[in-house]
């Protein structure tokens, strides 16, 4: 699978948040995105996924144009900052409700995903009683539970302890070996240097033409 952006731009409240961005990304690779807060990383992920419409340019996935042939990338797993969880329900029930949207996985796969991120799928506590790190692990579990073709991870190791960080890195590498196309935005230089096959730097909505090869 190939994900391409051709000269995409987006302006919000008279501020250009993406400016003439072009990329060509292939399955089985991890692409790292670095840059300060507000540099455009999160907005780029929203544009590439189809969650945000662009003002100009084209996003193409598997030969199909977003918002023309398809609305969003099918079989997408995504972790964005401030991801919403139903805090009154357990972790398992959160994922169960999300799984019903696509009906691709059942209880077995949900339990496996929760266990992969180091949580207890039988924990009956409401998510509001989770630590920040536990909530982040649950968000990662929902991103991988359907074995998606494309995975977009925005600061996936945020709030996670050191052992958890290594667990998340292992999961990301496992998903790459499975053949997923992975986009990883992180302020952690270690995450990027360990995981990314290519690195793009963003600043003021602009991306470097020449990526660093890991």
């Amino acid at each position: 699978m190939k994900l391409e952006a051709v000269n995409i731009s987006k302006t919000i409240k008279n501020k250009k948040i993406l400016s003439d961005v072009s990329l060509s990304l292939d399955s089985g690779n991890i692409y790292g995105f670095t840059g300060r807060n507000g540099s455009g990383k999160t907005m780029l992920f929203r544009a590439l996924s189809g969650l945000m419409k662009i003002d100009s340019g084209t996003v193409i996935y598997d030969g199909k144009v977003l918002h023309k042939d398809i609305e969003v990338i099918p079989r997408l797993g995504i972790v964005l900052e401030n991801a919403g969880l139903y805090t009154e329900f357990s972790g398992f029930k959160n994922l169960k409700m999300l799984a019903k949207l696509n009906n691709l996985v059942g209880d077995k796969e949900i339990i496996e995903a929760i266990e992969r991120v180091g949580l207890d799928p039988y924990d009956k506590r409401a998510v509001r009683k989770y630590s920040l790190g536990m909530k982040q692990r649950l968000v990662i579990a929902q991103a991988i539970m359907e074995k998606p073709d494309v995975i977009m991870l925005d600061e996936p190791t945020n709030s996670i302890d050191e052992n958890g960080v290594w667990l998340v890195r292992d999961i990301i590498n496992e998903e790459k070996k499975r053949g997923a196309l992975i986009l990883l935005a992180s302020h952690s230089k270690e995450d990027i240097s360990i995981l990314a096959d290519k690195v793009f730097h963003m600043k003021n909505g602009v991306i470097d033409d020449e990526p660093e090869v890991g």
Side-chain angles (χ1 to χ4, degrees):
M1 300 286 189
K2 184 182 285 289
L3 175 61
E4 298 173 273
V6 183
N7 304 122
I8 65 172
S9 295
K10 177 72 175 181
T11 299
I12 296 178
K13 295 180 180 177
N14 297 319
K15 182 181 178 183
K16 199 135 195 177
I17 58 170
L18 294 174
S19 182
D20 203 31
V21 174
S22 293
L23 290 169
S24 182
L25 312 174
D26 295 297
S27 295
N29 289 287
I30 299 171
Y31 297 93
F33 293 82
T34 64
R36 295 180 178 178
N37 287 337
S39 62
K41 304 187 300 299
T42 300
M43 292 302 180
L44 177 62
F45 282 16
R46 289 184 180 277
L48 292 176
S49 66
L51 295 176
M52 178 183 77
K53 289 190 175 182
I54 52 177
D55 296 330
S56 61
T58 309
V59 177
I60 307 164
Y61 175 68
D62 191 26
K64 298 179 179 68
V65 177
L66 279 187
H67 304 300
K68 180 182 177 185
D69 304 318
I70 53 175
E71 282 304 307
V72 295
I73 289 180
R75 297 191 65 83
L76 169 72
I78 190 163
V79 172
L80 293 175
E81 286 186 305
N82 304 316
L85 292 167
Y86 297 101
T87 58
E88 68 270 33
F89 299 128
S90 69
F92 177 85
K93 188 166 183 179
N94 265 270
L95 268 56
K96 179 88 170 176
M97 289 188 293
L98 286 168
K100 285 182 178 178
L101 296 175
N102 296 322
N103 285 318
L104 294 174
V105 296
D107 290 1
K108 177 174 176 286
E109 291 83 6
I110 294 169
I111 289 168
E112 287 174 354
I114 294 172
E115 289 178 338
R116 278 183 78 188
V117 299
L119 295 177
D120 177 5
Y122 305 103
D123 187 344
K124 301 296 185 185
R125 284 180 298 169
V127 165
R128 67 172 175 269
K129 296 182 179 178
Y130 281 19
S131 67
L132 286 174
M134 291 173 70
K135 289 176 183 174
Q136 185 71 356
R137 289 180 189 232
L138 186 63
V139 169
I140 293 168
Q142 65 84 16
I144 62 172
M145 69 178 177
E146 294 178 339
K147 294 183 170 56
D149 296 323
V150 179
I151 302 175
M152 298 185 182
L153 303 171
D154 190 5
E155 305 294 343
T157 57
N158 243 6
S159 305
I160 295 181
D161 59 35
E162 187 175 353
N163 288 337
V165 167
W166 283 104
L167 179 63
V168 170
R169 289 171 182 165
D170 286 343
I171 289 169
I172 293 171
N173 273 322
E174 288 163 5
E175 294 300 302
K176 171 190 171 179
K177 289 175 184 174
R178 186 174 60 78
L181 193 171
I182 300 172
L183 288 73
L184 169 66
S186 181
H187 289 301
S188 167
K189 292 180 180 178
E190 192 174 18
D191 281 351
I192 296 292
S193 64
I194 289 172
L195 294 168
D197 298 300
K198 292 183 179 179
V199 182
F200 298 93
H201 299 286
M202 293 201 71
K203 184 178 181 181
N204 299 325
V206 177
I207 203 160
D208 283 351
D209 291 329
E210 293 298 327
E212 289 182 9
V213 179

